[in-house]
Amino acid sequence: MPISTPTGSPAAVGLLTGFSLEMTGRDVPALREAAPQIPRGTRINVTFLGHEDPALRLAAARAVREHGFVPVPHISARRLRSPGELEEFLSDLAEAGAAEQVLVVGGDPGAPEGPYEDSLAVIRTGMLQRHGVRGVGIGGYPEGHPAVDDDVLWSALVAKTAALREQGLEPTVITQFGFDTRPVLAWLAEARRRGVDAPVRIGVPGPAGARRLLGYARRFGVATSAGIVQKYGLSLTHLLGTAGPDRFLCDLAEGYDAGVHGPVLLHFYTFGGLGATAAWIREFGAHGAAS
């Protein structure tokens, strides 16, 4: 079933300025196809998946740069087996001209595969800036994390932003995606109250099949109550068709207050649909501007 034509208010369209996207190491062909629809200079994150080797991720980061975009390679702390592995990956990124911006996350493994327990441990090595990194993305969790207490998440967020600033690195927070803007806006206000003044890229689920969206939501602990999902345009019983995030963006724009929520940008999780997401953003912007 095709995606319906997205429409939005001028305020919602305004949120698209400076948006970022996400891809995997295997999405280079999709990137090549979608490139004409993506504004030059757009940040494109390259995920750190356990089944993709460093060479594949490096090739994807290089392809992002060669197409005129800004690569943001992911570094998964608990998947790194040694300081040497981190050093080699950063060195390769620098050689490819893809080391200026990175995202450092803890990663999926419950136990570290090497010396880095979390993303803060990687940040504190000093290796990032030695290899030309200037900006570092870190994770934010408006709906919490299924394996980490909220108090721990807040302490880590404050500590990481402080550590990055102390090392002369510019922090950006990228949040997990969600379907409900209420916890997002509440989390933003609380982050600012706690002194986290870094720009925040709000995670937005790109257009995808309902079954896939709900699968990702369950995996990452994102709320999928019947009311929230129906508001988004999905059905828990009829998992057919495709939905776009126009309702989410319109609600976000309506509730956003720069004085309370600080600087905000958008980060689209593409779920393997890089081209579909780029096309949706372009249509949303065009129809919203014309309304």
Side-chain angles (χ1 to χ4, degrees), residues 17 19 35 42-43 46 56 64 76-77 97 106 115 134 144 158 170 205 224 247 261 264 273 285:
T17 302
F19 71 86
T42 296
R43 294 188 182 205
V46 180
L56 193 64
V64 169
S76 178
R134 295 175 56 190
V158 171
E170 189 62 34
T224 55
R247 298 184 188 186
H261 302 120
V264 165

Side-chain angles (χ1 to χ4, degrees), residues 207-218:
R211 186 183 298 275
R212 172 171 287 194
L213 280 172
L214 294 175
Y216 275 101
R218 284 190 292 269

